Amino acid sequence: QVQLVQSGAEVKKPGASVKVSCKASGYRFTGYYIHWVRQAPGQGLEWMGRINPNSGATNYAKKFQGRVTMTRDTSINTAYMGLSRLTSDDTAIFYCTRGDYGVNKPQSYWGQGTLVTVSS
Amino acid sequence: QSVLTQPPSVSGAPGQRVTISCTGSSSNIGAGYDVHWYQQLPGTAPKLLIYGNNNRPSGVPDRFSGSKSGTSASLAITGLQVEDEVDYYCQSHDSSLSGVVFGGGTKLTVL
């Protein structure tokens, strides 16, 4: 069965960077986009961007451009999301999701989420 | 401020029917992009509920249905049950932003 398993919770200081991993299993990793979605405490969902694991091509939401980096390692079926220059506003749960290639396909599978806490 | 607008909350009695709206614009829903809906239980990741405006993934009860018209979409839930009292989000694509956009989410209360 399709599974996306994310790395554990992180605590970071303001100004630092964080890198979250998402290990995929149960399907061909290079056959689907990996998206990243942020959810601040008590808030809604916010799309951060996506990576094509086959080519490595990325598309980032304008809000995060310059601060986010999405990469992948196809040898271990794992995608990564890095976010730099963290502030308290970045305290959130970050989810990786799987979506079909193409525009506006649904995000059919979600990781369990990774809580990132930014605090001095 | 979310690109897609949802009511923060809706409510209904058990057994009743409720709808949740998702209002966009000419650069997203109005441009013809599909709308997808997600259900999120407390403390868990969202789950795909409706895709492509009105399609249910396997395992989703037919009490849930979706529709789209013009610049808006709606999620309808019939035969309300206590376990439906969770959060719901709509999603589409925005051509101006060149990416995925979500609604702000709606909390359903079953009275």
Side-chain angles (χ1 to χ4, degrees):
Chain A
Q1 73 283 19
V2 174
Q3 279 195 303
L4 299 172
V5 178
Q6 300 182 223
S7 48
E10 305 257 15
V11 179
K12 296 292 182 181
K13 293 196 181 302
S17 298
V18 69
K19 189 171 185 178
V20 179
S21 68
C22 172
K23 183 169 178 60
S25 61
Y27 72 97
R28 186 169 59 89
F29 179 62
T30 54
Y32 299 84
Y33 283 126
I34 291 290
H35 299 256
W36 290 90
V37 176
R38 183 174 82 169
Q39 186 171 36
Q43 302 300 309
L45 305 173
E46 188 171 28
W47 183 74
M48 300 180 70
R50 70 183 183 193
I51 184 168
N52 178 329
N54 188 44
S55 65
T58 54
N59 299 99
Y60 299 142
K62 293 179 182 179
K63 175 175 181 176
F64 296 98
Q65 282 177 3
R67 272 210 311 143
V68 69
T69 303
M70 296 178 188
T71 58
R72 92 294 189 213
D73 184 337
T74 56
S75 69
I76 55 172
N77 293 346
T78 299
Y80 303 91
M81 185 282 297
L83 191 64
S84 63
R85 303 194 302 277
L86 293 169
T87 71
S88 58
D89 288 343
D90 292 313
T91 293
I93 296 174
F94 292 81
Y95 294 102
C96 63
T97 79
R98 191 193 88 167
D100 287 359
Y101 287 144
V103 175
N104 196 35
K105 299 301 183 181
Q107 295 170 54
S108 306
Y109 295 92
W110 294 63
Q112 84 275 20
T114 296
L115 174 63
V116 175
T117 303
V118 183
S119 174
S120 55
Chain B
Q1 194 78 352
S2 301
V3 173
L4 304 179
T5 301
Q6 297 180 234
S9 63
V10 298
S11 62
Q16 282 191 334
R17 177 182 187 270
V18 295
T19 61
I20 298 173
S21 61
C22 174
T23 303
S25 67
S26 58
S27 62
N28 41 68
I29 299 175
Y33 293 107
D34 286 346
V35 176
H36 317 299
W37 291 89
Y38 301 87
Q39 180 189 59
Q40 186 176 32
L41 279 63
T44 70
K47 166 194 148 184
L48 181 64
L49 191 66
I50 296 287
Y51 67 93
N53 304 317
N54 55 12
N55 300 287
R56 287 185 308 275
S58 173
V60 173
D62 59 6
R63 301 188 297 108
F64 296 90
S65 63
S67 63
K68 183 186 121 172
S69 178
T71 58
S72 295
S74 290
L75 172 70
I77 309 171
T78 59
L80 267 183
Q81 300 180 3
V82 172
E83 55 262 37
D84 298 333
E85 189 171 281
V86 295
D87 296 330
Y88 297 86
Y89 294 90
C90 60
Q91 178 223 308
S92 188
H93 176 89
D94 190 280
S95 56
S96 297
L97 298 173
S98 299
V100 172
V101 288
F102 286 100
T106 298
K107 180 171 180 55
L108 170 60
T109 300
V110 180
L111 303 169

